[in-house]
Amino acid sequence: MVKLEIDGREVEVPEGSMVMHAASALDIFVPHFCYHKKLSIAANCRMCLVEVEKAPKPMPACATPATNGMRVFTNSPKAVAAQKGVMEFLLINHPLDCPICDQGGECQLQDLAVGYGGSASSYLEEKRVVFHKPMGPLISAEEMTRCIHCTRCVRFGQEVAGIMELGMANRGEHSEIMSFLGESVDSELSGNMIDLCPVGALTSKPFRYSARTWELSRRKSIAPHDSLGSNIVVQVKGNQVKRVVPLENEAVNECWISDRDRFAYEGLNSPDRLTVPMLKQDGQWREVDWPAALEYAAHALRTVREQKGAAAIGALASGQSTVEELHLLGKVVRGLGSGNVDFRLRQVDFSLDAARAGVPWLGMPVAEINGLDRLLLVGSFLRKDHPLLAARVRAAAKAGCKVSIVHAADDDLLMPVAARALAAPSQWARVLAGILAALPAAATQAGGALALPEAIAAELAGVQPTEAERAIAASLVGGERKALLLGNAVAQHPAQAQLARLAQAIADATGARLGWLGEAANSVGGWLAGAVPTDGGLDARAMVEQPRALYLLMNVEPDFDHALPGAARAALSAAESVIALSAFKSDELLELADCLLPIAPFTETAGTFVSAEGRVQSFNGVVRPAGETRPGWKVLRVLGNLLDLPGFDQDSAEAVRAQALPADVAARLDNRVSGAIGVLPAAAAADALERLPEVLIYSVDPIVRRAPSLQQTADARAPKARVSPATLARLAGLADGATVRVTMAAGGDALVQLAADPNLADGVLRLAAGHESTARLAAMAGAARIERA
């Protein structure tokens, strides 16, 4: 530790700390622009000049190492004169456009100019002009004349997002921040550059000129689009959400949020919003009041139960629904005598349900990812599925963590990858078996010893590890802090159970922690709330393959949200009644449903999400519900009352939450599964083509799909049918760029563009689900064919 004195106060800081860190430890403010606690030190702006005893001139606090016995003065006449001099330089070319600047009211330059700026400038020359820069649909760079070249945006791209999309060109007065070759900024974390910009050179394009900062009310909430549970601040004007920014929480999202969490709010104000209950009568939709709609729903449920039995009722819910909604949905269904309720819509293999020791979760606190030494990612589109978890893994890799992947696609994770094994999804079990079989030899080579349990060794008899599998095994036997994380493509895999058992065997053998990354905001909360089948009830797959007479849908659009959209559409079409609780009225719901009940999205209701790490986070509505919209938990509670079911007397979301969640959530979290590994799959046929399960980053839920700005990004473009060059060579008469018809063995077809992708395993078709162009394919995964359109 180093002991020094700042403004007469002593402080101790770790060796290697800068004066700025020491000042922060004493809560002494030193004016600055380029310094940021999460970024490297650039010392560009010189605004943080302070007086250091015996130093011949003022020193930058952000770049001056703290030393024993140092005496620093942050507010002495010498320091203040230096800071005022720097401020005058910074304002030489800055435009005098505070009255119309979007950053006005929350601008660091404006704030510090009040304290350190002069009333007049010594400079009479003309101010320079920098032309606007195109940066895509999310970031506006219309007023780059304001830029003071702090390079925060550049450093964020390099150090946190992992990709340098902005840089500084030219020198001196001609310096400009720009994107390379005028390209758009496409990082899934790019919106954080807006928050980092201290002067209003980079602003939010969707929010721009829609409100003044002092007109906005600020309310805390939780992001609903992935399993991280990012803390956010929702900013509201006139009962409309105008902007979403991060709320700092070091244990979860640090001080960042993903673009999906930042800009998806636009979907809340979509023309598709369902604001009045609607009933379909004689094929025509008409708006009704709540008593009529709820009585219709209750009558339909009672009638089906009496005529077809309770088992003819099924409920499908989205993992983006709150714990309270999922709990009461399950309670309604079970109160009627049915066990058919499920929120795991994109899952097809449910054979692990009876073999689980507890609720699947991340297996560790999110913050511990940064400190890992070894990490194996299986079936994860990490950057797109979990952008901020990817940033943590990137930080761990920079600190020396060896990251390995098992996948069908070698996506650029924007970090060093120690070893990779690429194979078609049906071969992932063989790959994991190869890694498991290679562990004893890898441990011996590393100077240790490792023996597999006899039962597992017997099941692996005859498995010959490949070079890639041996490399991954060698990585896993080293290090102390290790993890094996299973991604969305494993959760959606037809052989999920076998992959989970193999992963557990690898984790047990190496001492690694096993975790599920989790797809949705309530991938853990749905289990805890009881939105899974009980008493022999049907799961999400069985409910559409064995059609029910009546379906309750909660925040679901089956064409985009179900693993088997073809079977789901057919089952719903044939049902006597489909009652949809939804915030939106899509063409699909208008076609399939006969009762639409408008429920509130996360900004208009109180609720709870349980993140992948098991963190319970509750939130309140930030705006009044639109039109006749009601919170989903209230709708379900009243429905329970109309059906004369016991236990529907809750008067608040808190009361529902107390019933829904166990007293000790942590005690319920357990990834262990029982059972043998089973027979490993045969090698794939040379001409076989398998679809890789994937959902586009901006297609994951109804709100995101309706956010106009996100739908204009590169990541939202219509998916192409991507195959490896070797696979393309086997497709007779087809060339890169051709329009082709893709068909699934399960049924359905899609017309898409064909593209060669050298980063794919042979025999793999990468074609994302959750998009209008692929919605008619009957299954997210499985055997596929490509033919000329």
Side-chain angles (χ1 to χ4, degrees):
M1 298 292 283
V2 173
K3 186 180 287 186
L4 66 156
E5 183 184 291
I6 301 182
D7 292 344
R9 296 164 61 191
E10 277 198 349
V11 63
E12 269 193 308
V13 292
E15 209 164 317
S17 298
M18 301 296 159
V19 169
M20 181 73 84
H21 301 140
S24 297
L26 290 170
D27 285 332
I28 293 174
F29 176 71
V30 179
H32 61 273
F33 293 112
C34 69
Y35 170 77
H36 190 278
K37 64 182 179 181
K38 293 287 184 182
L39 303 177
S40 63
I41 291 167
N44 287 339
C45 70
R46 318 306 279 185
M47 190 63 212
C48 63
L49 292 176
V50 293
E51 182 182 354
V52 178
E53 189 178 61
K54 299 181 181 176
K57 59 183 180 180
M59 308 289 284
C62 71
T64 302
T67 58
N68 270 315
M70 177 183 273
R71 295 184 69 209
V72 178
F73 306 94
T74 67
N75 207 26
S76 65
K78 185 176 181 181
V80 171
Q83 291 159 0
K84 287 190 171 183
V86 169
M87 176 58 72
E88 185 173 11
F89 273 110
L90 289 174
L91 293 175
I92 287 172
N93 281 309
H94 200 79
L96 305 176
D97 61 355
C98 287
I100 61 102
C101 176
D102 234 26
Q103 197 98 330
E106 51 186 7
C107 171
Q108 280 179 257
L109 184 68
Q110 192 178 55
D111 294 342
L112 293 181
V114 172
Y116 300 91
S119 56
S121 174
S122 309
Y123 290 83
L124 304 175
E125 291 80 7
E126 287 187 7
K127 292 178 180 285
R128 75 169 189 159
V129 174
V130 180
F131 289 109
H132 66 86
K133 304 289 188 293
M135 289 191 186
L138 305 179
I139 299 176
S140 173
E142 290 295 311
E143 281 89 18
M144 290 305 287
T145 305
R146 299 172 184 160
C147 179
I148 60 169
H149 308 134
C150 69
T151 68
R152 279 184 177 185
C153 54
V154 178
R155 285 176 285 146
F156 172 82
Q158 284 179 297
E159 297 164 18
V160 180
I163 180 168
M164 187 175 176
E165 295 181 285
L166 297 180
M168 189 186 296
N170 307 320
R171 299 186 68 183
E173 188 184 32
H174 303 291
S175 299
E176 295 183 27
I177 298 289
M178 59 178 67
S179 60
F180 290 100
L181 303 176
E183 296 288 325
S184 61
V185 176
D186 296 326
S187 165
E188 57 279 357
L189 299 174
S190 66
N192 293 293
M193 296 177 183
I194 297 166
D195 295 336
L196 287 171
C197 182
V199 296
L202 303 179
T203 52
S204 167
K205 192 169 277 188
F207 170 73
R208 186 175 163 79
Y209 295 142
S210 65
R212 286 295 192 180
T213 179
W214 52 85
E215 298 175 310
L216 299 171
S217 302
R218 290 161 172 78
R219 289 145 194 181
K220 298 176 183 179
S221 192
I222 305 297
H225 307 295
D226 64 29
S227 62
L228 179 63
S230 295
N231 290 206
I232 56 176
V233 175
V234 181
Q235 301 185 348
V236 176
K237 176 188 176 185
N239 203 49
Q240 192 174 62
V241 177
K242 289 291 186 181
R243 184 165 62 170
V244 171
V245 296
L247 175 64
E248 186 169 350
N249 186 335
E250 279 298 313
V252 182
N253 55 300
E254 301 176 272
C255 55
W256 320 117
I257 53 173
S258 67
D259 289 354
R260 181 166 58 192
D261 294 337
R262 183 184 298 272
F263 298 108
Y265 73 87
E266 287 187 294
L268 299 167
N269 307 317
S270 162
D272 280 357
R273 272 302 298 270
L274 177 65
T275 56
V276 181
M278 299 177 71
L279 296 179
K280 186 189 284 184
Q281 297 179 330
D282 299 324
Q284 298 297 315
W285 282 100
R286 67 185 186 90
E287 296 179 353
V288 297
D289 59 17
W290 270 107
L294 287 168
E295 187 51 55
Y296 177 94
H299 175 73
L301 286 162
R302 277 193 299 263
T303 302
V304 168
R305 181 179 61 174
E306 291 164 5
Q307 294 180 357
K308 301 287 179 67
I313 297 169
L316 298 170
S318 161
Q320 265 78 22
S321 304
T322 65
V323 163
E324 292 79 359
E325 291 167 345
L326 293 171
H327 171 70
L328 289 181
L329 180 67
K331 198 176 175 81
V332 166
V333 173
R334 279 186 277 274
L336 291 167
S338 171
N340 306 332
V341 58
D342 208 346
F343 76 99
R344 302 161 298 170
L345 301 187
R346 294 192 177 117
Q347 188 172 322
V348 290
D349 179 11
F350 297 89
S351 57
L352 268 185
D353 285 4
R356 291 189 187 277
V359 173
W361 68 300
L362 187 64
M364 70 183 88
V366 164
E368 290 186 12
I369 290 176
N370 296 59
L372 292 175
D373 298 323
R374 302 287 188 273
L375 174 62
L376 173 57
L377 290 167
V378 183
S380 173
F381 302 96
L382 190 64
R383 272 183 60 197
K384 305 303 179 182
D385 289 343
H386 304 92
L388 287 175
L389 285 179
R392 285 191 180 271
V393 174
R394 197 171 295 123
K398 287 172 68 175
C401 176
K402 290 188 176 179
V403 179
S404 303
I405 63 168
V406 172
H407 210 314
D410 188 13
D411 287 349
D412 187 359
L413 296 179
L414 306 176
M415 67 182 86
V417 174
R420 49 174 64 81
L422 299 184
S426 66
Q427 301 303 302
W428 289 354
R430 291 177 64 89
V431 172
L432 292 181
I435 295 169
L436 188 54
L439 287 174
T444 302
Q445 198 168 357
L450 187 154
L452 298 176
E454 286 184 17
I456 290 177
E459 288 185 288
L460 297 178
V463 173
Q464 295 297 321
T466 64
E467 199 60 46
E469 291 155 10
R470 281 195 287 268
I472 294 174
S475 169
L476 289 175
V477 296
E480 294 180 1
R481 299 179 298 276
K482 296 177 270 196
L484 195 165
L485 298 179
L486 304 176
N488 291 359
V490 174
Q492 297 156 5
H493 197 284
Q496 182 208 103
Q498 188 173 43
L499 296 178
R501 289 188 174 107
L502 282 162
Q504 181 179 293
I506 294 171
D508 289 346
T510 59
R513 282 184 281 188
L514 175 65
W516 294 83
L517 286 167
E519 177 188 355
N522 257 331
S523 291
V524 174
W527 282 91
L528 296 168
V532 289
T534 53
D535 302 323
L538 302 180
D539 54 55
R541 176 178 183 170
M543 264 189 269
V544 299
E545 291 184 334
Q546 303 167 35
R548 304 292 94 189
L550 183 147
Y551 288 94
L552 278 168
L553 304 181
M554 169 74 77
N555 291 318
V556 176
E557 294 175 339
D559 273 356
F560 304 112
D561 295 328
H562 203 285
L564 303 172
R569 174 175 278 274
L572 292 168
S573 297
E576 292 178 16
S577 181
V578 176
I579 300 163
L581 291 80
S582 173
F584 303 96
K585 53 177 190 292
S586 65
D587 291 341
E588 180 189 14
L589 290 181
L590 291 172
E591 176 190 342
L592 299 175
D594 55 287
C595 176
L596 294 179
L597 304 178
I599 61 171
F602 77 106
T603 50
E604 298 170 18
T605 183
T608 303
F609 294 135
V610 184
S611 70
E613 65 172 340
R615 183 181 294 265
V616 178
Q617 299 186 109
S618 297
F619 55 90
N620 291 310
V622 299
V623 292
R624 293 187 305 277
E628 294 297 310
T629 299
R630 295 292 181 267
W633 69 267
K634 286 189 177 181
V635 174
L636 290 165
R637 187 205 63 200
V638 175
L639 193 56
N641 294 150
L642 290 173
L643 291 165
D644 297 321
L645 301 178
F648 284 87
D649 54 358
Q650 305 89 348
D651 59 0
S652 66
E654 289 78 11
V656 182
R657 184 184 315 135
Q659 293 180 4
L661 294 177
D664 185 1
V665 168
R668 292 280 309 278
L669 307 178
D670 193 337
N671 288 323
R672 295 198 63 79
V673 293
S674 57
I677 291 168
V679 179
L680 294 174
D687 59 347
L689 197 59
E690 295 177 40
R691 187 179 180 193
L692 173 65
E694 177 189 17
V695 180
L696 295 174
I697 181 174
Y698 300 137
S699 297
V700 294
D701 62 62
I703 297 175
V704 172
R705 289 193 287 266
R706 289 170 171 82
S709 297
L710 291 179
Q711 296 308 319
Q712 294 169 28
T713 61
D715 278 325
R717 291 174 187 150
K720 296 181 180 180
R722 300 184 181 276
V723 295
S724 70
T727 304
L728 181 60
R730 295 198 300 270
L731 298 173
L734 295 178
D736 190 358
T739 300
V740 296
R741 184 184 304 279
V742 174
T743 55
M744 300 291 294
D749 64 351
L751 285 177
V752 291
Q753 192 177 355
L754 184 63
D757 186 345
N759 295 320
L760 285 176
D762 194 16
V764 171
L765 166 64
R766 184 173 186 176
L767 180 60
H771 192 275
E772 188 69 42
S773 63
T774 58
R776 296 296 176 176
L777 290 169
M780 276 180 61
R785 278 185 59 200
I786 297 178
E787 54 193 19
R788 186 180 299 280

Coordinates of all heavy atoms in Angstrom, one line a residue, residues 698-747:
Y698 N -32.1 -9.5 -32.1 CA -33.2 -8.6 -32.0 C -34.5 -9.2 -32.4 O -35.4 -8.6 -33.0 CB -32.9 -7.4 -32.8 CG -31.7 -6.7 -32.3 CD1 -30.7 -6.2 -33.2 CD2 -31.4 -6.5 -31.0 CE1 -29.5 -5.5 -32.7 CE2 -30.3 -5.9 -30.5 CZ -29.4 -5.4 -31.4 OH -28.2 -4.8 -30.9
S699 N -34.7 -10.6 -32.2 CA -35.9 -11.3 -32.4 C -36.4 -12.1 -31.2 O -37.3 -12.9 -31.4 CB -35.7 -12.2 -33.6 OG -35.4 -11.5 -34.8
V700 N -35.8 -11.9 -30.1 CA -36.0 -12.8 -29.0 C -37.3 -12.7 -28.3 O -37.8 -13.7 -27.7 CB -34.9 -12.6 -27.9 CG1 -33.5 -13.0 -28.4 CG2 -34.8 -11.2 -27.4
D701 N -38.0 -11.5 -28.4 CA -39.3 -11.4 -27.7 C -40.1 -10.3 -28.4 O -39.6 -9.6 -29.2 CB -39.1 -11.1 -26.2 CG -38.4 -9.7 -26.0 OD1 -38.9 -8.7 -26.4 OD2 -37.3 -9.7 -25.4
P702 N -41.4 -10.3 -28.1 CA -42.3 -9.4 -28.8 C -41.9 -7.9 -28.7 O -42.1 -7.2 -29.7 CB -43.7 -9.6 -28.1 CG -43.6 -11.0 -27.6 CD -42.2 -11.2 -27.2
I703 N -41.4 -7.4 -27.6 CA -41.0 -6.0 -27.5 C -39.9 -5.7 -28.4 O -39.9 -4.7 -29.2 CB -40.6 -5.7 -26.0 CG1 -41.8 -5.9 -25.1 CG2 -40.1 -4.2 -25.9 CD1 -41.5 -5.7 -23.6
V704 N -38.8 -6.5 -28.4 CA -37.6 -6.3 -29.2 C -38.0 -6.3 -30.7 O -37.5 -5.5 -31.5 CB -36.5 -7.3 -28.9 CG1 -35.4 -7.2 -29.9 CG2 -36.0 -7.1 -27.5
R705 N -38.8 -7.2 -31.1 CA -39.2 -7.4 -32.5 C -39.9 -6.2 -33.0 O -40.1 -6.0 -34.2 CB -40.1 -8.6 -32.7 CG -39.3 -9.9 -32.5 CD -40.1 -11.1 -33.0 NE -41.2 -11.5 -32.1 CZ -41.1 -12.4 -31.2 NH1 -40.0 -13.1 -31.0 NH2 -42.2 -12.7 -30.5
R706 N -40.4 -5.3 -32.1 CA -41.2 -4.1 -32.5 C -40.4 -2.8 -32.3 O -41.0 -1.7 -32.4 CB -42.5 -4.1 -31.8 CG -43.5 -5.2 -32.3 CD -44.7 -5.3 -31.4 NE -45.7 -6.2 -32.0 CZ -45.6 -7.5 -31.9 NH1 -44.7 -8.1 -31.2 NH2 -46.6 -8.3 -32.5
A707 N -39.1 -2.9 -32.0 CA -38.3 -1.7 -31.8 C -37.7 -1.3 -33.2 O -36.8 -1.9 -33.7 CB -37.2 -2.0 -30.8
P708 N -38.3 -0.2 -33.8 CA -37.8 0.2 -35.1 C -36.4 0.4 -35.3 O -35.8 -0.1 -36.3 CB -38.6 1.5 -35.4 CG -39.8 1.5 -34.4 CD -39.3 0.7 -33.2
S709 N -35.7 1.1 -34.4 CA -34.3 1.3 -34.5 C -33.4 0.0 -34.5 O -32.5 -0.1 -35.3 CB -33.8 2.3 -33.5 OG -34.4 3.5 -33.6
L710 N -33.8 -0.9 -33.6 CA -33.0 -2.1 -33.5 C -33.3 -2.9 -34.8 O -32.4 -3.7 -35.3 CB -33.5 -2.9 -32.3 CG -33.1 -2.4 -31.0 CD1 -33.6 -3.3 -29.8 CD2 -31.5 -2.3 -30.9
Q711 N -34.5 -2.8 -35.4 CA -34.8 -3.6 -36.6 C -34.1 -3.0 -37.8 O -34.1 -3.6 -38.9 CB -36.3 -3.7 -36.8 CG -37.0 -4.4 -35.7 CD -36.4 -5.8 -35.4 OE1 -36.1 -6.5 -36.4 NE2 -36.3 -6.2 -34.2
Q712 N -33.4 -1.9 -37.7 CA -32.7 -1.3 -38.8 C -31.2 -1.6 -38.7 O -30.4 -1.3 -39.6 CB -32.8 0.2 -38.8 CG -34.2 0.7 -39.1 CD -34.4 2.2 -38.9 OE1 -33.4 3.0 -39.0 NE2 -35.6 2.6 -38.5
T713 N -30.8 -2.3 -37.7 CA -29.4 -2.6 -37.5 C -28.9 -3.8 -38.4 O -29.8 -4.6 -38.9 CB -29.1 -3.0 -36.0 OG1 -29.8 -4.1 -35.7 CG2 -29.4 -1.8 -35.1
A714 N -27.6 -4.0 -38.5 CA -27.1 -5.1 -39.3 C -27.5 -6.4 -38.7 O -27.7 -7.4 -39.4 CB -25.6 -5.0 -39.3
D715 N -27.6 -6.5 -37.4 CA -28.0 -7.8 -36.7 C -29.4 -8.2 -36.9 O -29.8 -9.3 -36.6 CB -27.7 -7.7 -35.2 CG -26.2 -7.9 -34.8 OD1 -25.6 -8.7 -35.5 OD2 -25.7 -7.3 -33.9
A716 N -30.2 -7.3 -37.4 CA -31.6 -7.6 -37.6 C -32.0 -7.9 -39.1 O -33.1 -8.1 -39.4 CB -32.5 -6.4 -37.2
R717 N -30.9 -7.9 -39.9 CA -31.2 -8.2 -41.3 C -31.8 -9.6 -41.5 O -31.5 -10.5 -40.7 CB -29.9 -8.1 -42.2 CG -29.4 -6.7 -42.3 CD -28.0 -6.7 -43.0 NE -27.5 -5.3 -43.0 CZ -26.2 -5.1 -42.9 NH1 -25.3 -6.1 -42.9 NH2 -25.7 -3.8 -42.9
A718 N -32.5 -9.8 -42.6 CA -33.1 -11.1 -42.8 C -32.1 -12.2 -42.8 O -31.0 -12.0 -43.5 CB -33.9 -11.1 -44.1
P719 N -32.3 -13.3 -42.1 CA -31.2 -14.3 -42.0 C -31.0 -15.0 -43.4 O -31.9 -15.1 -44.2 CB -31.7 -15.3 -41.0 CG -33.2 -15.1 -41.0 CD -33.4 -13.6 -41.3
K720 N -29.7 -15.4 -43.6 CA -29.4 -16.1 -44.8 C -29.2 -17.6 -44.5 O -28.9 -17.9 -43.3 CB -28.1 -15.6 -45.5 CG -28.2 -14.1 -46.0 CD -26.9 -13.7 -46.6 CE -27.0 -12.3 -47.1 NZ -25.8 -11.8 -47.7
A721 N -29.3 -18.5 -45.4 CA -29.0 -19.9 -45.2 C -27.5 -20.0 -45.4 O -27.0 -20.0 -46.5 CB -29.8 -20.7 -46.2
R722 N -26.8 -20.1 -44.3 CA -25.3 -20.2 -44.3 C -24.9 -21.6 -44.2 O -25.3 -22.4 -43.3 CB -24.8 -19.3 -43.2 CG -25.2 -17.9 -43.3 CD -24.5 -17.0 -42.2 NE -24.9 -15.6 -42.3 CZ -24.3 -14.8 -43.2 NH1 -23.3 -15.1 -43.9 NH2 -24.8 -13.5 -43.2
V723 N -23.9 -22.0 -45.1 CA -23.3 -23.3 -45.0 C -21.8 -23.2 -45.3 O -21.4 -22.1 -45.8 CB -23.9 -24.3 -46.1 CG1 -25.4 -24.6 -45.8 CG2 -23.8 -23.7 -47.5
S724 N -21.0 -24.2 -44.9 CA -19.6 -24.1 -45.1 C -19.3 -24.3 -46.6 O -20.2 -24.8 -47.4 CB -18.9 -25.2 -44.3 OG -19.2 -26.5 -44.9
P725 N -18.2 -23.8 -47.1 CA -17.8 -24.0 -48.5 C -17.9 -25.4 -48.9 O -18.3 -25.8 -50.1 CB -16.4 -23.4 -48.6 CG -16.4 -22.4 -47.5 CD -17.2 -22.9 -46.4
A726 N -17.4 -26.4 -48.0 CA -17.4 -27.8 -48.4 C -18.9 -28.3 -48.6 O -19.2 -29.1 -49.5 CB -16.7 -28.6 -47.3
T727 N -19.8 -27.8 -47.7 CA -21.2 -28.2 -47.8 C -21.8 -27.6 -49.1 O -22.5 -28.3 -49.8 CB -22.0 -27.8 -46.6 OG1 -21.4 -28.3 -45.4 CG2 -23.4 -28.2 -46.7
L728 N -21.4 -26.4 -49.4 CA -21.9 -25.7 -50.6 C -21.5 -26.4 -51.8 O -22.3 -26.6 -52.8 CB -21.5 -24.2 -50.6 CG -21.9 -23.4 -51.8 CD1 -23.4 -23.3 -51.9 CD2 -21.3 -22.0 -51.7
A729 N -20.3 -26.9 -51.8 CA -19.8 -27.7 -53.0 C -20.6 -28.9 -53.3 O -20.7 -29.3 -54.5 CB -18.3 -28.0 -52.8
R730 N -21.2 -29.5 -52.3 CA -22.0 -30.7 -52.5 C -23.4 -30.4 -52.9 O -24.2 -31.3 -53.3 CB -22.1 -31.5 -51.2 CG -20.7 -32.1 -50.8 CD -20.9 -33.2 -49.8 NE -21.6 -32.8 -48.6 CZ -21.0 -32.3 -47.5 NH1 -19.7 -32.2 -47.4 NH2 -21.7 -32.0 -46.4
L731 N -23.8 -29.1 -52.8 CA -25.2 -28.7 -53.2 C -25.2 -28.4 -54.7 O -24.8 -27.3 -55.2 CB -25.6 -27.5 -52.5 CG -25.7 -27.7 -50.9 CD1 -26.0 -26.3 -50.3 CD2 -26.8 -28.7 -50.6
A732 N -25.5 -29.4 -55.5 CA -25.4 -29.3 -57.0 C -26.2 -28.2 -57.5 O -27.3 -28.0 -57.2 CB -25.9 -30.7 -57.6
G733 N -25.5 -27.4 -58.3 CA -26.1 -26.3 -59.1 C -26.4 -25.1 -58.3 O -27.1 -24.2 -58.8
L734 N -26.0 -25.0 -57.0 CA -26.3 -23.8 -56.2 C -25.0 -23.1 -55.9 O -23.9 -23.7 -55.7 CB -26.9 -24.3 -54.9 CG -28.3 -25.0 -55.0 CD1 -28.8 -25.4 -53.6 CD2 -29.3 -24.0 -55.6
A735 N -25.1 -21.8 -55.9 CA -23.9 -20.9 -55.7 C -24.2 -19.9 -54.6 O -25.3 -19.6 -54.3 CB -23.6 -20.2 -57.0
D736 N -23.1 -19.4 -54.1 CA -23.2 -18.3 -53.1 C -24.0 -17.2 -53.6 O -23.8 -16.7 -54.7 CB -21.8 -17.9 -52.7 CG -21.7 -16.9 -51.5 OD1 -22.8 -16.7 -51.0 OD2 -20.6 -16.5 -51.1
G737 N -25.0 -16.7 -52.8 CA -25.8 -15.6 -53.3 C -27.1 -16.0 -53.9 O -28.0 -15.1 -54.2
A738 N -27.3 -17.3 -54.3 CA -28.5 -17.7 -54.9 C -29.7 -17.7 -54.0 O -29.5 -17.9 -52.8 CB -28.3 -19.1 -55.5
T739 N -30.9 -17.5 -54.5 CA -32.1 -17.6 -53.7 C -32.5 -19.1 -53.7 O -32.6 -19.7 -54.7 CB -33.2 -16.8 -54.3 OG1 -32.8 -15.4 -54.3 CG2 -34.5 -16.9 -53.4
V740 N -32.7 -19.7 -52.5 CA -33.0 -21.1 -52.4 C -34.2 -21.3 -51.5 O -34.7 -20.4 -50.8 CB -31.8 -21.8 -51.7 CG1 -30.6 -21.8 -52.7 CG2 -31.4 -21.3 -50.4
R741 N -34.7 -22.5 -51.6 CA -35.9 -23.0 -50.8 C -35.3 -23.9 -49.7 O -34.7 -25.0 -50.1 CB -36.9 -23.6 -51.6 CG -38.2 -24.0 -50.8 CD -39.2 -24.8 -51.6 NE -39.6 -24.0 -52.8 CZ -40.5 -23.1 -52.8 NH1 -41.1 -22.8 -51.7 NH2 -40.8 -22.4 -53.9
V742 N -35.5 -23.6 -48.5 CA -35.1 -24.5 -47.4 C -36.3 -25.2 -46.8 O -37.3 -24.6 -46.6 CB -34.4 -23.7 -46.2 CG1 -34.1 -24.6 -45.0 CG2 -33.1 -23.0 -46.7
T743 N -36.2 -26.5 -46.7 CA -37.3 -27.3 -46.1 C -36.8 -28.1 -45.0 O -35.6 -28.5 -45.0 CB -37.9 -28.2 -47.2 OG1 -36.9 -29.0 -47.7 CG2 -38.6 -27.4 -48.3
M744 N -37.6 -28.3 -44.0 CA -37.2 -29.1 -42.8 C -37.9 -30.5 -42.9 O -39.0 -30.6 -43.5 CB -37.7 -28.4 -41.5 CG -37.1 -27.0 -41.3 SD -35.3 -27.1 -40.9 CE -35.3 -27.9 -39.4
A745 N -37.3 -31.5 -42.4 CA -37.9 -32.8 -42.3 C -39.2 -32.8 -41.6 O -40.1 -33.5 -41.9 CB -36.9 -33.8 -41.6
A746 N -39.3 -31.8 -40.6 CA -40.6 -31.7 -39.8 C -41.6 -31.0 -40.6 O -42.8 -31.0 -40.2 CB -40.3 -31.0 -38.5
G747 N -41.3 -30.4 -41.8 CA -42.2 -29.7 -42.6 C -41.9 -28.2 -42.7 O -41.1 -27.6 -42.0

